[in-house]
């Protein structure tokens, strides 16, 4: 048997790579993590989830203060924000979480961490900082970066990506965002709430194009009301650097050309896997801009080289990266064949209201030719929502023709957290009757989950057949009051 330096080598110290490292090292595998950047933690910690959600919360608090009167409070004169203070808070949160993702912690778990540029020498060896390191298994977990489109003038126009958003010296006065996916929507609202004039340019006819139109439109309506300008069905023709401002020329569906100018330009048009420079071509591993070609056990054409995280090109979320990391540990270390199954991987866009999803929505069910029914409940019927001034939103439960839930979407306050219950229901195959009969604390937003399940079941329970049966067997006497009697006695 060939002797390798390590049992498992991992390229990339982000969510996926660190999940594999923690699992493998704790199981006794000699583990190496190689990270190209200066610190562990990846995009999520440094330029993604953590800074964006910290910024969103700051913007939310500022928005609440500005709208104090809505809550019966005196109106408040607010000063403009000092972005350096916001950036400090963001860096503070990152530093706190960084401890969990530190070299020291991984060393204490038993994994060695090295920093540097890496490329495959052959399917078991990599070149790292002038030496060759070998491993029995390798995991490619190098994440993704903002995809930059071929647009006339863009190369000569200074633009921002998600990596540049959290360290401004000063809040930009105006911002044009190319794209209308989750990152674009979240950042548009956050910057708009902080005082930036924000415009979104979207090629399609709706924002958040993976979501059902009615849900995405609700998000858009809220953002519009708060001041974000939307240009839908708009193609980006060119960009130009005008010094203090950047210019974007767009062509709308009707063929009209418009020119937008803003102090800053953000490119948020999807993600591209970080796979260049690893010499994957040299060892015969196929990939494209979206990601690696993998089998269902997340193996490349070399069965001992795996892919996990954003490089899979599938569900580009931190929790999906963690899930894929656990699949790799099962396959590579435990040698228990395990396939990735994304059927019930949830996700959430953290606008306010949040939009969370799991499984099929109407769009996906239609595309798959699945017969379905839709059950909805609105947050304006939820007592806790009303007490919190959060009337906007709804839950949509999608059932198949056997009346099993195949998907749920929630748009509303803390939708991401509310989705947790559906993750358990759907992954665990919990019956809707169990959810509907379980006791939820009152008043909570979570009651909406129970209510939508109950709405479906009550149609059956309170049916004419059941009523007829009960009357027959137990001699029930029927209605005691009808609408026509109201007021007759008073
Ligand atoms: C603005 C933004 C907001 C987001 N918000 C959320 C959210 O709220 N919730 C959510 O679930 N997901 C969110 N995501 C997505 C999430 O950040 C990613 O899905 C997640 O980071 C993927 O983990 P990963 O391990 O695949 O990649 P990463 O976490 O990016 O880690 C990859 C690591 O590999 C390193 N690397 C790159 N090339 C090499 C190389 N050649 N050699 C060695 N190392 C290399 C990188 O430096 C990096 O440290 C967000 C993303 C962005 C951009």
């Amino acid at each position: 048997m060939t002797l390798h330096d390590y049992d498992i080598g991992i390229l990339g110290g982000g969510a996926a790579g660190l999940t594999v490292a923690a699992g493998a090292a704790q199981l006794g595998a000699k583990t190496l993590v190689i990270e190209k950047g200066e610190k562990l933690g990846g995009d999520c910690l440094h330029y993604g989830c953590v800074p964006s959600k910290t910024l969103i919360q700051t913007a939310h608090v500022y928005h609440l203060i500005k709208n104090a009167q809505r809550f019966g409070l005196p109106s408040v004169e607010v000063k403009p924000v000092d972005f350096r203070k916001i950036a400090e808070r963001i860096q503070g949160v990152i530093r706190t979480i960084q401890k969990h993702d530190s070299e020291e912690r991984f060393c204490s778990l038993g994994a060695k961490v090295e920093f540097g540029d890496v490329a495959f020498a052959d399917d078991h060896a990599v070149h790292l900082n002038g030496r060759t390191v070998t491993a029995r298994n390798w995991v490619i977990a190098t994440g993704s970066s903002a995809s930059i489109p071929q647009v006339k003038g863009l190369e000569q126009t200074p633009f921002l990506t998600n990596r540049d958003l959290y360290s401004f010296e000063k809040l930009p006065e105006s911002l044009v965002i190319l794209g209308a996916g989750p990152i674009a929507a979240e950042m548009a609202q956050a910057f708009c709430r902080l005082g930036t004039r924000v415009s979104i340019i979207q090629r399609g006819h709706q924002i958040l194009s993976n979501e059902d139109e009615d849900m995405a439109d609700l998000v858009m309506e809220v953002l519009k009301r708060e001041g974000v300008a939307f240009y839908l069905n708009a193609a980006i023709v060119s960009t130009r650097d005008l010094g203090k401002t950047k210019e974007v020329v767009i062509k709308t569906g009707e063929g009209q050309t418009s020119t937008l100018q803003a102090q800053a330009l953000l490119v948020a048009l999807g993600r591209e896997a970080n796979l260049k420079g690893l010499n994957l071509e040299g060892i015969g591993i196929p990939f494209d801009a979206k990601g690696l070609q993998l089998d269902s056990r997340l193996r490349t054409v070399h069965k001992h080289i795996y892919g996990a995280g954003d490089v899979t090109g599938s569900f580009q979320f931190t929790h999906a990266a963690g899930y894929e990391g656990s699949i790799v540990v099962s396959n590579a270390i435990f040698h228990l064949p395990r396939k990735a199954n994304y059927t019930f991987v949830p996700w959430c866009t953290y606008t306010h209201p949040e939009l969370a999803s799991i499984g099929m929505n109407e769009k996906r069910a239609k595309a798959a030719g699945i017969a379905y029914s839709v059950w909805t409940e609105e947050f304006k019927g939820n007592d806790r929502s009303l007490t919190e001034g959060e009337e906007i939103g709804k839950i949509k439960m999608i059932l198949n023709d056997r009346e099993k839930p195949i998907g749920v979407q929630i748009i509303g306050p803390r939708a991401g957290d509310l989705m947790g219950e559906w993750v358990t229901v759907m992954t665990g195959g919990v019956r809707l009757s169990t959810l509907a009969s379980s006791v939820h604390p009152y008043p909570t937003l979570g009651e909406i989950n129970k209510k939508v399940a109950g709405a479906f079941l009550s149609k059956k329970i309170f049916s004419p057949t059941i009523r007829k049966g009960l009357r027959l067997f137990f001699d029930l006497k029927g209605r005691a009051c009808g609408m026509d009697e109201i007021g007759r006695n008073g």
Side-chain angles (χ1 to χ4, degrees):
M1 192 185 183
T2 322
L3 282 182
H4 295 295
D5 300 325
Y6 292 92
D7 293 314
I8 189 160
I10 300 149
L11 311 187
L18 294 182
T19 303
V20 179
Q26 290 182 92
L27 287 167
K30 193 174 174 195
T31 304
L32 170 69
V33 180
I34 303 172
E35 167 55 48
K36 187 181 179 180
E38 286 170 8
K39 288 177 181 163
L40 297 179
D43 242 34
C44 179
L45 177 57
H46 299 288
Y47 310 107
C49 335
V50 173
S52 63
K53 268 77 251 182
T54 312
L55 180 73
I56 284 169
Q57 179 62 7
T58 293
H60 177 56
V61 172
Y62 193 57
H63 179 76
L64 286 179
I65 297 170
K66 284 197 280 187
N67 290 281
Q69 276 178 306
R70 274 191 56 214
F71 298 89
L73 295 168
S75 67
V76 184
E77 274 287 317
V78 286
K79 288 186 182 160
V81 302
D82 175 350
F83 204 88
R84 283 169 308 181
K85 296 251 163 61
I86 296 175
E88 264 169 42
R89 175 168 180 266
I90 292 173
Q91 290 309 320
V93 176
I94 293 175
R95 272 195 302 278
T96 308
I97 300 176
Q98 179 77 71
K99 289 181 198 132
H100 190 257
D101 286 352
S102 67
E103 196 181 338
E104 294 72 30
R105 176 165 171 266
F106 278 85
C107 184
S108 76
L109 295 176
K112 186 169 174 55
V113 177
E114 295 222 37
F115 293 91
D117 252 324
V118 72
F120 279 98
D122 62 44
D123 64 312
H124 279 289
V126 297
H127 293 306
L128 170 70
N129 302 332
R131 45 200 178 88
T132 303
V133 182
T134 63
R136 183 141 50 125
N137 298 286
W138 285 100
V139 186
I140 303 165
T142 45
S144 67
S145 305
S147 163
I148 309 302
Q150 297 283 334
V151 169
K152 190 176 154 206
L154 191 57
E155 256 180 44
Q156 293 77 42
T157 313
F159 61 84
L160 310 168
T161 69
N162 64 295
R163 291 178 82 91
D164 313 299
L165 284 174
Y166 314 109
S167 50
F168 292 123
E169 284 284 305
K170 209 166 169 277
L171 183 79
E173 281 168 26
S174 50
L175 176 68
V176 170
I177 305 180
L178 309 186
I183 296 172
E186 289 179 3
M187 292 301 97
Q189 186 178 42
F191 277 96
C192 176
R193 284 179 163 189
L194 292 172
T196 302
R197 266 181 293 110
V198 181
S199 309
I200 281 191
I201 300 172
Q202 162 73 334
R203 196 173 43 183
H205 68 282
Q206 75 163 78
I207 68 164
L208 302 171
S209 50
N210 283 331
E211 311 290 348
D212 279 346
E213 199 167 340
D214 57 332
M215 305 301 257
D217 281 356
L218 251 180
V219 174
M220 188 171 74
E221 284 315 313
V222 173
L223 267 61
K224 255 190 195 169
R225 228 174 296 146
E226 292 185 12
V228 178
F230 286 87
Y231 297 84
L232 301 183
N233 297 310
I236 306 155
V237 176
S238 63
T239 69
R240 200 155 57 117
D241 184 12
L242 301 178
K244 281 191 177 154
T245 59
K246 323 288 168 250
E247 179 189 85
V248 182
V249 178
I250 57 170
K251 200 171 191 175
T252 59
E254 296 80 46
Q256 278 170 340
T257 301
S258 308
T259 304
L260 280 72
Q261 280 184 19
Q263 204 178 29
L265 174 64
L266 170 66
V267 177
L269 287 161
R271 310 284 297 170
E272 191 171 317
N274 297 328
L275 294 170
K276 288 188 188 131
L278 294 173
N279 190 30
L280 296 181
E281 309 84 344
I283 59 166
I285 293 184
F287 69 96
D288 59 21
K290 212 166 173 305
L292 292 165
Q293 203 173 298
L294 299 168
D295 68 10
S296 56
R297 286 167 63 184
L298 303 181
R299 300 173 301 181
T300 63
V301 286
H302 298 294
K303 302 294 179 211
H304 60 283
I305 303 183
Y306 296 81
D310 282 6
V311 294
T312 62
S314 44
F315 283 66
Q316 293 183 314
F317 305 107
T318 295
H319 47 279
Y323 168 68
E324 288 161 346
S326 74
I327 300 280
V328 171
V329 172
S330 289
N331 287 313
I333 309 298
F334 270 116
H335 297 277
L336 289 176
R338 204 173 140 207
K339 293 179 181 174
N341 178 350
Y342 298 99
T343 314
F344 297 129
V345 173
W347 67 90
C348 185
T349 299
Y350 296 90
T351 44
H352 191 179
E354 294 178 358
L355 173 47
S357 274
I358 188 170
M360 292 278 170
N361 58 15
E362 290 196 72
K363 223 183 225 182
R364 282 186 287 279
K366 271 186 198 136
I370 294 173
Y372 65 89
S373 60
V374 180
W375 297 82
T376 62
E377 286 295 327
E378 303 218 0
F379 275 98
K380 58 183 180 221
N382 175 282
D383 292 357
R384 184 58 179 270
S385 295
L386 297 176
T387 65
E388 296 199 352
E390 297 272 11
E391 300 84 4
I392 297 172
K394 64 180 176 186
I395 184 168
K396 225 165 121 174
M397 176 176 75
I398 317 276
L399 303 185
N400 65 12
D401 52 5
R402 286 182 292 120
E403 299 183 332
K404 289 242 155 27
I406 53 168
V408 172
Q409 291 83 53
I410 307 174
I411 180 168
R414 295 191 286 285
D417 289 308
L418 296 178
M419 192 49 84
E421 189 166 27
W422 288 102
V423 175
T424 310
V425 165
M426 296 180 70
T427 318
V430 176
R431 296 167 75 93
L432 280 182
S433 55
T434 308
L435 175 57
S437 60
S438 59
V439 182
H440 285 54
Y442 173 86
T444 54
L445 299 169
E447 287 179 292
I448 200 162
N449 291 339
K450 175 184 160 91
K451 197 168 175 195
V452 77
F456 160 70
L457 291 166
S458 64
K459 179 195 73 164
K460 293 173 175 265
I461 295 169
F462 304 121
S463 69
T465 323
I466 298 261
R467 274 211 302 266
K468 204 168 151 194
L470 288 173
R471 194 162 54 219
L472 209 69
F473 284 111
F474 303 113
D475 194 25
L476 299 184
K477 295 190 172 51
R479 296 184 74 101
C481 187
M483 283 308 282
D484 52 341
E485 291 188 40
I486 289 185
R488 201 183 284 168
N489 304 326

